[in-house]
Amino acid sequence: MRFVLALVVLAGCDGSAGGTTDGPTGPDASPPTPSGCITDVSPGDHVFSCGGLMVDARIPAACEAPGCGLILELHGDTGTGLLMDAHVKLRELGAQHGYITVAPTGPPFGQGLPGSTWHASNDAALIDLVNQVSTVFRVDAHKVHLTGFSRGGFVTWRLLCDHADLFASAAPAGAGNGAGFGEQTCFEQGRAPSRKLPILFLMGRTDVSVGYAAMQTIRDGAIANYAAIGPVVVAQDTGYSHDRWTGPNGEIIETFDHAYETVSDGPWASARGHCIAGSTMDPYAPQYAIPCKAPNAFVWGEEVMTFFLAHPRP
């Protein structure tokens, strides 16, 4: 069984994910200084080597000054950072809103297949990457977010559980509870985040790779842990429902529950509902062809960006 993975982290400029440097007249507006694995701080696209991972990064010109956000996006099985971004376009969306985007590529997938995957042993390197970028660019810790699809969704669940102090909100997608997948996630076996951060979750009703039941299980575990009430239908049609649950102190869990599928004659046809809604990537591409067949009523990458912007850390 193959999994697809993506992860996104956004950060801003104070607190645990970095911090402002105050001069005599306010925040230090001097240019950032290279440090650690961040060897080039100029605006534009760069490739860094951090913790043994190749990291594609986009630095908006605005982020030469303190206060930008940071996006970390992780691909899934047989993907790469840039292939994942081709589906969700968070580098472009992040730049529009003043967010640095970093898209690392994990270790080789193997099994005679192209691309890469992720293991729990990579978690520490991912967190270190977030912290290094946050420190160098003096990002705002109130705006650190993460997202991941499939294997990346499993990583997202795990990181939001283990590092709730770092992330403002999270958007896992196409991933459920860890039972049967060799993954340790969250909201099972007594595991829960130390802070009930907002969660946005993408669920495919006919997902073959992960299974809808596994996603229902982790969704319901999160709702129970948050003591959240709902759902309230935000928007829906015959192909999807955008629902929201709210906890007693304003905690938020939202889902995009959809019936979209991959094209029936493409390389990922067997995955069916295990796809990214709104992706414009070629559904017949030789590698990582996981867009949901058009038309779709929503664009997942845009919904993720909107959710992150709406939920900075208090």
Side-chain angles (χ1 to χ4, degrees):
M1 179 178 293
R2 296 183 296 176
F3 300 91
V4 185
L5 166 66
L7 174 68
V8 177
V9 174
L10 293 99
C13 120
D14 61 343
S16 60
T20 55
T21 301
D22 290 329
T25 59
D28 182 0
S30 61
T33 302
S35 179
C37 68
I38 312 303
T39 55
D40 190 336
V41 295
S42 63
D45 292 341
H46 304 286
V47 179
F48 303 125
S49 178
C50 299
L53 305 174
M54 184 183 77
V55 180
D56 286 281
R58 177 165 293 178
I59 313 298
C63 300
E64 295 293 280
C68 262
L70 166 68
I71 302 173
L72 167 70
E73 69 179 311
L74 301 172
H75 62 82
D77 286 356
T78 76
T80 66
L82 291 182
L83 283 171
M84 188 63 231
D85 193 71
H87 288 289
V88 293
K89 298 183 178 178
L90 282 165
R91 293 192 305 164
E92 177 182 329
L93 292 167
Q96 291 174 14
H97 296 282
Y99 289 91
I100 297 166
T101 302
V102 288
T105 294
F109 182 75
Q111 303 179 33
L113 293 172
S116 303
T117 187
W118 298 102
H119 308 290
S121 58
N122 301 125
D123 289 2
L126 296 175
I127 296 300
D128 185 60
L129 170 62
V130 173
N131 285 327
Q132 287 201 55
V133 175
S134 298
T135 298
V136 167
F137 290 97
R138 301 157 294 175
V139 299
D140 181 354
H142 295 92
K143 297 188 288 186
V144 182
H145 308 264
L146 90 142
T147 184
F149 182 77
S150 189
R151 186 77 68 182
F154 286 108
V155 176
T156 301
W157 284 117
R158 184 165 60 248
L159 293 184
L160 76 85
C161 203
D162 295 343
H163 300 278
D165 59 326
L166 179 61
F167 300 111
S169 67
N177 66 314
F181 299 103
E183 295 281 0
Q184 186 177 43
T185 54
C186 201
F187 305 110
E188 58 183 345
Q189 299 179 342
R191 287 171 53 77
S194 59
R195 183 180 67 85
K196 292 176 171 57
L197 64 166
I199 296 172
L200 178 68
F201 187 22
L202 182 69
M203 307 170 63
R205 297 170 191 166
T206 61
D207 187 316
V208 172
S209 296
V210 171
Y212 189 64
M215 291 184 284
Q216 286 179 306
T217 298
I218 200 165
R219 178 202 64 191
D220 293 347
I223 292 168
N225 181 263
Y226 282 30
I229 303 299
V232 171
V233 177
V234 179
Q236 68 178 182
D237 64 19
T238 56
Y240 87 105
S241 184
H242 176 191
D243 300 323
R244 177 183 297 130
W245 289 258
T246 305
N249 296 306
E251 300 90 347
I252 292 293
I253 297 171
E254 295 187 12
T255 63
F256 276 82
D257 185 305
H258 69 85
Y260 307 133
E261 298 185 348
T262 54
V263 294
S264 60
D265 57 346
W268 282 82
S270 63
R272 297 185 63 190
H274 196 68
C275 61
I276 298 176
S279 169
T280 57
M281 187 172 169
D282 180 5
Y284 301 99
Q287 185 179 349
Y288 212 57
I290 53 169
C292 299
K293 181 181 178 181
N296 304 154
F298 65 93
V299 177
W300 176 240
E302 293 178 1
E303 296 295 344
V304 168
M305 189 77 234
T306 297
F307 189 79
F308 290 166
L309 290 170
H311 296 288
R313 195 177 75 188

